[in-house]
Amino acid sequence: MSSQNGDHNDRMAGSPQAGLSERRAQLNRKLDDIKAVEEKTARKSQSSSSGYAQAMKLSSEFIAGVLVGAGIGWVADEWLGTSPFGLIVFLLLGFAAGVLNVLRSVGVVEQQDAKIQREKDARDDRS
Amino acid sequence: MANDPIQQFQIQKLFPIEVGGMDLSFTNSSLFMVLTVAATSAFLIFSTSGRGLVPSRVQSVSEMMYEFVAGTLRSAAGTEGMRFFPLVFSLFMFVLVANLFGMFPYFFTVTSHIIVTFALAMLVILTVIIYGFMKNGMKFLKLFVPSGVPGALIPLVTLIEVISFLSRPISLSVRLFANMLAGHITLKVFSGFVVSLSAMGAVGIFGSILPLGMTVALTALEFLVAFLQAYVFTVLTCMYLNDAIHPSH
């Protein structure tokens, strides 16, 4: 089987067909990436199928982010004496962290990560 | 008054113990934690004592639990994550059995107190942090620096990632605690309606059918929530452990 494949590749080397099969293999790899991410998110959303559980999950993620941000800001204010500013800055950062938590638990971040990785691979191949 | 929906969460001292000015009393909460651990251990020891090649009914239940948790852990953290199996399985069994114990009338729900769930969540997060630094050293900090971010944004994004990481134990504990607390209060309020309505004569007894049906439905939902929350706690634990084993973002 393997010798047969070797023969096949030898014959194809140098012809335009070789580039084509390489590209097809690359395309297959990309599709596998996308499928893996999609399966992961599908499984995740399946496990918490009821709307109540989903709402509970997302709200607790968001609230936890805001609370931790506010807590860090408050402690920073207490220690450094920068009274309102630490709370303001860290509350906003906590808000951002809460949104990040929510996006991550819905699986949006993973999709973006896969996209960035794909684009990076494509750039590497071209150069 | 028996109708107070909050009364079921009150801590009562069963044996007052005081050590060096610290209150270490054995409370009803401690009693139910001990009962949870005892029931879990007794069940697992009893069900695996036969160890037949063809499992008996009890044995297949415990084998199913093992397979379930092992599958969850393996799919989230890979085969390398299986070294945490004892921790994850204990956590799952403790939360599940504590939640289900709470479904018995007059029983105390251990997981409806945030300090208990927070302690469990801190156990998980401290395991992640300590093991992550032990295994990866300083490379564990790469968890907070996502790849593909422009240089100027890195400090801001890192700060947000750190806050997001610190919020994990809070969201983990708040979710379990809030679900159990809210569920038990709702159940108590609706069953309280049945009692107070049926005290109002013939019309009241007829009218109390509605909240009674609601109570039955909510009880079923609570059993679902008890299982689901134990599962969610386990899945998130596995995901966080995965971060400790493979910190590259």
Side-chain angles (χ1 to χ4, degrees), chain B residues 31 52 58 74-75 93 97 102 120 126 140 143 149 163 174 189 200:
Chain B
L31 173 68
V58 212
R74 210 173 278 134
S75 72
M93 289 306 284
V97 174
L120 294 177
L126 286 179
F140 180 63
L143 181 67
V149 176
I163 295 177
V174 164
V189 166
M200 280 164 59

Side-chain angles (χ1 to χ4, degrees), chain A residues 40 43-44 47-50 52-53 56-58 60-69 72 89-90 93-94 96-98 100-101 104 109 113 116-117 120, chain B residues 75-76 147-148 156 159-168 170-172 174-175 178-179 182-183 221-222 224-225 228-229 231-232 235-236 239-240 242 249:
Chain A
K40 223 183 200 176
R43 210 175 44 220
K44 225 187 272 172
S47 67
S48 54
S49 48
S50 86
Y52 172 73
M56 212 65 178
K57 188 174 128 196
L58 294 185
S60 72
E61 293 278 6
F62 181 70
I63 292 169
V66 176
L67 279 185
V68 168
I72 291 175
V89 169
F90 276 97
L93 284 175
L100 181 67
N101 282 347
R104 189 165 279 155
V109 176
D113 273 355
I116 289 169
Q117 194 62 41
K120 209 168 133 196
Chain B
S75 72
S147 58
L156 192 65
L159 210 53
I160 291 175
E161 287 279 355
V162 169
I163 295 177
S164 165
F165 182 82
L166 291 179
S167 74
R168 279 171 175 184
I170 300 201
S171 73
L172 198 58
V174 164
R175 186 177 308 138
N179 267 296
L221 180 75
E222 273 308 295
L224 178 75
V225 166
L228 201 68
Q229 286 310 310
Y231 175 66
V232 166
V235 168
L236 287 170
M239 276 168 56
Y240 297 161
N242 181 39
H249 230 297

Side-chain angles (χ1 to χ4, degrees), chain B residues 180-215:
Chain B
M180 300 319 290
L181 185 80
H184 280 82
I185 288 180
T186 327
L187 207 55
K188 187 90 180 190
V189 166
F190 273 103
S191 44
F193 283 161
V194 179
V195 178
S196 39
L197 267 177
S198 52
M200 280 164 59
V203 186
I205 288 173
F206 185 71
S208 68
I209 291 172
L210 271 173
L212 183 64
M214 198 71 189
T215 310

